[in-house]
Amino acid sequence: MILQLLTNNKPSENEIKVIDSKGNIVFNKKPTDLKPKTMYYDTLSFDPGSYALLLSDSAGDGLEFWYEVESGYGYMRLLSLDGRLIHDFESDCGDGHYYAFTASAEAIIDTDTTQYAFILY
């Protein structure tokens, strides 16, 4: 799958990790790896098993917060390799997100249901 991340104006507050069921970090995007207002696409591949994706925000205002306009807007999504939306994470997420999932060679993407992501102001 593909991890799509649009950073806000303050990416130094954010870190993304994927850990396996044994607690090993298998993917890490540190605050020092991120630039403001930048789109990142990371292709993630996992051995079969259980994992957790963690987005942390040290300031507690997520990738977007209506009250802090100066922080800008960012978002995080999981996409299939052909660009279909698998999961859209809420940008106004406070301290971050925890998303548990299982990787399997037998996984099949549901192409009968369309996922949408949009923003209302």
Side-chain angles (χ1 to χ4, degrees):
M1 67 182 160
I2 297 170
L3 174 66
Q4 179 186 30
L5 173 69
L6 173 64
T7 57
N8 61 16
N9 296 335
K10 298 181 179 179
S12 61
E13 300 171 353
N14 303 124
E15 183 171 10
I16 299 171
K17 293 180 185 177
V18 177
I19 58 172
D20 65 16
S21 59
K22 296 178 184 176
N24 299 312
I25 298 171
V26 295
F27 175 82
N28 193 11
K29 207 151 197 65
K30 298 176 185 176
T32 55
D33 299 332
L34 302 171
K35 295 179 182 172
K37 297 187 286 186
T38 302
M39 181 70 75
Y40 293 93
Y41 293 92
D42 290 290
T43 302
L44 307 176
S45 181
F46 304 105
D47 292 330
S50 299
Y51 298 87
L53 183 146
L54 302 111
L55 165 68
S56 61
D57 187 285
S58 60
D61 58 5
L63 297 172
E64 183 267 337
F65 182 48
W66 67 270
Y67 188 74
E68 293 183 18
V69 178
E70 69 279 357
S71 293
Y73 173 74
Y75 63 81
M76 184 171 72
R77 298 176 179 153
L78 293 176
L79 309 172
S80 66
L81 293 178
D82 64 355
R84 290 180 176 272
L85 181 63
I86 295 172
H87 188 78
D88 181 38
F89 295 88
E90 176 65 40
S91 295
D92 188 354
C93 60
D95 291 333
H97 282 289
Y98 177 91
Y99 183 75
F101 63 96
T102 301
S104 170
E106 292 81 33
I108 299 172
I109 294 174
D110 181 0
T111 58
D112 293 332
T113 305
T114 303
Q115 300 284 335
Y116 296 99
F118 58 93
I119 307 158
L120 295 177
Y121 290 98

